[in-house]
Amino acid sequence: MSEIKENMEIVRERIRAACRRAGRDESEVTLIAVSKTKPVPMLMEAYEAGAREFGENKVQEILAKHSNLPGDTRWHMIGHLQRNKVHQVLEKAALIHSVDSLRLAEQIEAEAAKKGLEAQILLEINVAKEESKYGFFMEEAEEAIRHISQFSHVHIRGLMTIAPFVENPEENRTIFKKLYQFAVDIGRKNIDNVTMDVLSMGMTGDYEVAVEEGATMVRVGTGIFGERHYGAV
Ligand SMILES: *Cc1c(COP(=O)(O)O)cnc(C)c1O
């Protein structure tokens, strides 16, 4: 068995176990294979092992890879998105996880209107207020959500966060709990054109804790494809 296939099975089994511990149904959790920096043949191996959802953090990589994989794949934009690249990625990305400013949301609205399509987005939340990270602070997010909810070509589907890098994933449990609770609170406000059914949180180091705390999408790169070697690709 290929290593990627083996890794996928391990990750799926761990998600299943985390769901069991939390009394959740495993069908509630979508595994996104984060394939940034990895070449197409490796993505094909993941595809053959059942992967259909792929995550990339660069527009260029989505454009280059998506036409080289079968048509039933779905692409997730998970990295900081520059406004001048929005028009390139809109038709390719099923979901943009990384909407981190109102100006970006406005650009997505304008380009989606031009193309006559509806963009599916998540708001990126910087729960831990790390200076190195993009995203809205929780205190400013509701106002942003209410503003974006008035756009007619953008649909907020939920929230995303990149938790701090920690040795022990338990250290991120409160981060995930906070984001889950915040999503529940926003959901209860029944804002028009806003649904809170997607919670994108958890990476290789902490996805099991994220699933226990309510993640509906986990973004796993290293755990499937191995270490990334920047510059060597
Ligand atoms: C790279 C990346 C991931 C995957 O990270 P791993 O630790 O390799 O699983 C997840 N989310 C985002 C936003 C990323 O940029």
Side-chain angles (χ1 to χ4, degrees):
M1 185 158 47
S2 90
E3 202 174 326
I4 288 174
K5 181 163 191 223
E6 211 171 306
N7 288 344
M8 293 252 318
E9 288 183 8
I10 291 168
V11 172
R12 284 213 190 90
E13 179 47 42
R14 290 188 179 161
I15 291 172
R16 219 173 284 136
C19 283
R20 240 179 275 129
R21 288 194 295 278
R24 302 181 63 197
D25 195 299
E26 62 173 289
S27 66
E28 292 172 28
V29 181
T30 300
L31 171 60
I32 298 174
V34 175
S35 46
K36 63 194 191 200
T37 78
K38 300 297 179 185
V40 167
M42 286 180 79
L43 276 67
M44 272 312 299
E45 271 188 59
Y47 180 88
E48 276 152 20
R52 294 296 179 272
E53 316 276 335
F54 290 88
E56 293 285 346
N57 68 341
K58 293 211 170 82
V59 170
Q60 275 328 107
E61 276 192 84
I62 292 191
L63 298 183
K65 290 173 183 174
H66 123 289
S67 52
N68 282 300
L69 265 88
D72 61 344
T73 47
R74 283 164 41 93
W75 296 81
H76 298 259
M77 178 60 194
I78 62 174
H80 177 62
L81 177 56
Q82 288 170 314
R83 288 183 303 140
N84 62 4
K85 300 216 170 125
V86 167
H87 70 282
Q88 292 179 291
V89 80
L90 263 189
E91 280 149 318
K92 309 292 188 298
L95 185 64
I96 301 173
H97 294 226
S98 43
V99 176
D100 53 18
S101 73
L102 278 181
R103 291 176 78 209
L104 175 59
E106 280 160 6
Q107 185 73 21
I108 295 172
E109 165 67 12
E111 294 293 344
K114 233 188 259 176
K115 292 179 194 289
L117 47 86
E118 190 185 327
Q120 310 295 319
I121 69 160
L122 305 180
L123 228 59
E124 179 171 350
I125 311 291
N126 184 355
V127 180
K129 296 189 170 167
E130 289 179 281
E131 273 185 34
S132 59
K133 297 244 165 83
Y134 292 102
F136 294 91
F137 291 160
M138 261 183 327
E139 301 89 302
E140 45 186 31
E142 182 175 344
E143 195 183 329
I145 289 167
R146 288 191 183 277
H147 183 78
I148 298 168
S149 73
Q150 292 162 24
F151 297 174
S152 44
H153 299 85
V154 173
H155 184 187
I156 299 181
R157 302 289 307 276
L159 307 173
M160 177 271 227
T161 198
I162 304 173
F165 181 79
V166 289
E167 288 295 324
N168 176 0
E170 284 299 329
E171 290 173 46
N172 280 337
R173 189 177 292 277
T174 40
I175 303 269
F176 298 142
K177 266 191 208 292
K178 273 189 197 166
L179 193 65
Y180 175 82
Q181 192 52 51
F182 183 65
V184 169
D185 292 345
I186 294 288
R188 287 201 180 119
K189 295 182 194 238
N190 288 318
I191 304 168
D192 259 4
N193 190 32
V194 174
T195 49
M196 280 288 135
D197 42 33
V198 179
L199 208 47
S200 168
M201 57 187 196
M203 307 172 26
T204 297
D206 56 17
Y207 66 90
E208 292 160 273
V209 176
V211 167
E212 288 171 9
E213 297 303 333
T216 70
M217 285 185 180
V218 292
R219 311 177 306 265
V220 179
T222 315
I224 293 174
F225 296 104
E227 293 295 331
R228 285 177 293 274
H229 302 285
Y230 290 98
V233 190

